């Protein structure tokens, strides 16, 4: 039986988030400790656990068909690789940082300076577009120490919370790009495996929609029902059912997580009562 081959990060946060979304898609993986390859029990899928930086080449060579990988790694090493889906987790920035004591007034600071990074292509492309010439030093590992030991005047690295920069007496001065986990596709994927990918994407999209939404039930007085319904940005239109108590209705709808609290405040002001909010496991359209 044909199986689609997916690469995910061998260890770390992206590994856990990748396994989590596969689990939410109903895909059960027989996964032993320190295994580098595993199969799903209930879906035609093989999982390869690889070093993050190696995944783009495996995709290019067709060793794996798809991968869950940081968008920043694709930008650095995966030119020409298709992104099938943005997954919304493992968000970070790729930024330039300098020592805290430096008076930074703009990108001109980096003219002729030394920048330590493990993202040389990303840095060079960014600076070239901005008309800045700098000396890029490639470091695989902890680049934050480079300014402290006199190896560089600044660094380019991933920034999540900023705590690592703070601990190393650095400050973020330019955000070059924003990144999140994506589902990437090999240019050599076969037609049969593309069909399996489409089934998998359908599941992933259902999970992602659910993660971004809340199911809301509320009670509304009938004389204010039209005003309350007008506030609801549901998938199509809300469900309205009569309550045993005359003059009242129960309204069911879905609200986007990003606007959730604003909508709830408006609903309360319009007269909604007994608002119940539930998580959604899957949302199939």
């Amino acid at each position: 039986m044909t199986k689609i081959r997916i690469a995910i990060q061998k260890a770390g946060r992206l590994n856990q988030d990748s396994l989590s979304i596969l689990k939410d898609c109903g895909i059960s993986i027989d996964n032993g400790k320190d295994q580098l390859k595993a199969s799903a029990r209930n879906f035609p899928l093989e999982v390869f656990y690889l070093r993050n930086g190696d995944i783009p080449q495996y995709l290019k060579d067709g060793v794996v068909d798809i991968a869950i990988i940081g968008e920043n790694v694709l930008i650095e090493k995966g030119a020409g690789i298709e992104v099938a889906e943005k997954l919304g987790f493992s968000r970070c920035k790729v930024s330039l940082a300098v020592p805290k004591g430096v008076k930074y007034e703009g990108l001109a600071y980096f003219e002729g300076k030394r920048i330590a990074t493990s993202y040389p292509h990303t840095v060079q492309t960014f600076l070239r577009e901005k008309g800045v010439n700098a000396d890029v030093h490639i470091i695989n590992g902890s680049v934050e120490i480079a300014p402290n030991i006199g190896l560089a005047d600044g660094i380019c690295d991933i920034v999540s919370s900023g705590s690592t920069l703070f601990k190393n007496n650095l400050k973020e001065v330019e955000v070059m790009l924003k990144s999140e986990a994506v589902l990437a596709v090999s240019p050599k994927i076969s037609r049969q495996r593309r069909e399996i990918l489409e089934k998998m994407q359908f599941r992933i999209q259902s999970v992602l929609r659910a993660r971004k939404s809340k199911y809301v039930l509320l009670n509304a007085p009938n004389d204010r029902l039209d005003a309350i319904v007008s506030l609801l940005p549901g998938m199509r239109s809300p469900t309205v059912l009569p309550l045993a108590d005359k003059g009242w209705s129960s309204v069911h709808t879905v609200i986007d997580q990003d606007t959730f609290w604003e909508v709830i405040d408006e609903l309360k002001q319009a007269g909604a009562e007994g608002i119940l909010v539930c998580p959604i496991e899957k949302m199939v359209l």
Side-chain angles (χ1 to χ4, degrees), residues 21-273:
I21 197 168
L22 293 177
K23 182 179 179 181
D24 288 347
C25 288
I27 299 173
S28 301
I29 299 167
D30 293 319
N31 189 41
K33 186 179 180 183
D34 297 327
Q35 256 184 293
L36 298 180
K37 183 179 174 184
S39 294
R41 292 196 300 272
N42 55 354
F43 194 82
L45 179 78
E46 282 186 313
V47 182
F48 290 70
Y49 299 98
L50 303 172
R51 286 178 64 250
N52 214 29
D54 294 339
I55 291 175
Q57 193 60 51
Y58 278 78
L59 286 166
K60 289 178 182 178
D61 293 342
V63 176
V64 295
D65 306 298
I66 56 176
I68 296 177
I69 187 172
E71 196 173 7
N72 57 298
V73 180
L74 276 191
I75 290 169
E76 178 65 28
K77 295 184 175 182
I81 293 176
E82 172 193 351
V83 172
E85 203 78 46
K86 292 196 173 188
L87 301 176
F89 56 80
S90 294
R91 287 190 168 99
C92 66
K93 299 173 286 183
V94 179
S95 299
L96 292 167
V98 299
K100 286 180 184 176
V102 167
K103 185 180 179 181
Y104 184 82
E105 296 180 342
L107 272 173
Y109 165 81
F110 289 103
E111 183 68 35
K113 298 288 199 305
R114 300 164 299 168
I115 301 174
T117 186
S118 53
Y119 294 91
H121 172 72
T122 303
V123 177
Q124 288 164 347
T125 300
F126 177 80
L127 293 180
R128 184 166 57 247
E129 289 173 354
K130 302 296 182 181
V132 175
N133 294 303
D135 185 11
V136 176
H137 288 248
I138 302 173
I139 295 180
N140 295 313
S142 300
V143 300
E144 296 86 0
I145 196 174
N148 293 328
I149 60 175
L151 183 62
D153 304 291
I155 68 164
C156 165
D157 203 12
I158 291 175
V159 177
S160 296
S161 66
S163 61
T164 303
L165 292 181
F166 180 81
K167 290 174 184 175
N168 287 276
N169 203 34
L170 299 171
K171 61 182 179 182
E172 181 183 37
V173 292
E174 298 284 345
V175 177
M176 296 195 303
L177 61 92
K178 293 182 179 180
S179 172
E180 63 185 270
V182 297
L183 182 66
V185 183
S186 168
K188 296 187 177 180
I189 188 171
S190 68
R191 181 184 58 79
Q192 283 181 305
R193 289 179 169 131
R194 174 74 73 172
E195 289 173 359
I196 299 171
L197 170 60
E198 288 171 0
K199 293 178 182 179
M200 188 174 172
Q201 267 189 273
F202 175 78
R203 296 190 185 193
I204 289 172
Q205 289 164 359
S206 298
V207 169
L208 294 178
R209 278 192 295 267
R211 288 182 177 182
K212 295 175 182 176
S213 306
K214 300 290 184 184
Y215 189 75
V216 177
L217 303 87
L218 59 88
N219 297 331
N222 287 345
D223 60 354
R224 300 181 189 174
L225 188 57
D226 288 344
I228 288 171
V229 168
S230 71
L231 296 171
L232 298 174
M235 289 184 290
R236 287 190 180 171
S237 64
T239 301
V240 180
L241 302 170
L243 291 177
D245 191 355
K246 289 184 178 179
W248 286 82
S249 295
S250 174
V251 181
H252 300 214
T253 192
V254 173
I255 297 179
D256 189 280
Q257 174 173 277
D258 293 338
T259 60
F260 172 77
W261 286 112
E262 291 82 356
V263 173
I264 292 297
D265 288 341
E266 291 175 354
L267 290 171
K268 288 184 67 179
Q269 290 172 12
E273 297 181 9

